[in-house]
Amino acid sequence: MMPENFQNIKIAVDAVVFGYQKSNLYILLIQQKFGSHNSYWALPGGLVQEDEALIDAVKRELKEETNVTVNYLEQLYTFGDDISRDSRNRVISVAYFGLVDPKKLTLIADTDADHVAWVKINEVPNLAFDHNEMITKALERLKIN
């Protein structure tokens, strides 16, 4: 029997990876294979494992879902004020962002991703969860720096 104050909160990480090419800004997106938002486009990411640091989790998810390795990722923001942001569980997500040269990367969709693509920032569709909000927050951070 669980104590009445037991919390079943999951921690996730999401990667907002921008690519800059030919004077255009792109965002790396995956099309989800599983879950309540399957077939939706989303940011690469997933749940943190029990014995894993947050930065290691986001790097693992990026590599697993997109075949992308990013040398520098900065912690952006923690998303969790909307307790129903994920219909499967109470999930708090720590978002990271980075900037890469897409020409140097080979995209391969794997694990939870059906497809992976670079999408022009002004053509981003309505994404799963609160991922559009994550992109907006990352764009604000890019403008400040």
Side-chain angles (χ1 to χ4, degrees), residues 15-95:
V16 183
V17 178
F18 294 111
Y20 189 76
Q21 193 171 21
K22 297 180 182 172
S23 300
N24 288 305
L25 188 63
Y26 293 83
I27 188 79
L28 182 64
L29 297 178
I30 63 163
Q31 189 172 33
Q32 293 188 308
K33 190 184 294 187
F34 306 112
S36 60
H37 291 265
N38 67 322
S39 81
Y40 274 82
W41 287 89
L43 295 169
L47 294 176
V48 177
Q49 296 172 356
E50 286 285 327
D51 61 347
E52 191 173 39
L54 295 174
I55 190 66
D56 294 336
V58 73
K59 288 179 178 181
R60 174 184 52 79
E61 287 289 346
L62 259 175
K63 184 68 175 167
E64 286 177 1
E65 294 181 350
T66 69
N67 193 49
V68 168
T69 301
V70 178
N71 292 332
Y72 177 79
L73 289 165
E74 183 176 319
Q75 196 173 109
L76 172 66
Y77 195 81
T78 303
F79 293 83
D81 288 340
D82 178 1
I83 63 173
S84 60
R85 61 176 297 279
D86 187 324
S87 62
R88 300 169 292 185
N89 295 296
R90 171 76 197 271
V91 178
I92 295 170
S93 182
V94 180

